[in-house]
Amino acid sequence: MKTIVRNLARQMHHVPQFENPITTVDLLLGKLRILRLKGDIRALKFSDSYFARFQPIESNVGGWLVVPQSMSAEAIIEREMKLNQLRTDPSLNDP
């Protein structure tokens, strides 16, 4: 059963909105995202419990986060606003 599910999850699909083929898992996660954005409570609860498994485990061991540059909050907001103007919703069909 695991082999069948694994093969189905890795199966590639050609979707007109995307340049390259994507896996079944990516299609399902995209649909889950759309449902969450529409306010579907079941999708929200499922995704929260699913993604909680991949969150880092809290520990007393410290570490470092290396970032390319430091930016003020205003600069980050300005950059994201500019990037948002270029982004499109992948669930929308191009005419």
Side-chain angles (χ1 to χ4, degrees):
M1 183 64 94
K2 282 184 179 181
T3 303
I4 293 170
V5 171
R6 191 174 293 128
N7 288 339
L8 286 173
R10 292 178 180 164
Q11 201 171 41
M12 300 302 283
H13 303 275
H14 297 281
V15 180
Q17 292 94 338
F18 301 106
E19 186 176 316
N20 298 321
I22 59 174
T23 64
T24 304
V25 171
D26 291 329
L27 284 173
L28 291 172
L29 291 175
K31 181 63 176 178
L32 184 63
R33 178 181 168 266
I34 291 168
L35 290 172
R36 282 182 62 140
L37 291 172
K38 288 183 177 180
D40 187 314
I41 299 301
R42 287 183 14 205
L44 180 65
K45 288 181 181 179
F46 174 80
S47 61
D48 283 348
S49 65
Y50 177 77
F51 289 116
R53 295 187 291 170
F54 303 105
Q55 296 298 319
I57 298 170
E58 295 289 329
S59 71
N60 293 332
V61 178
W64 294 94
L65 174 63
V66 179
V67 294
Q69 62 183 353
S70 62
M71 297 174 69
S72 67
E74 293 81 14
I76 293 171
I77 292 170
E78 182 180 347
R79 183 188 70 192
E80 289 302 315
M81 295 292 278
K82 287 179 183 176
L83 290 173
N84 282 339
Q85 292 174 352
L86 303 173
R87 292 182 176 128
T88 59
D89 186 347
S91 65
L92 299 176
N93 293 332
D94 289 330

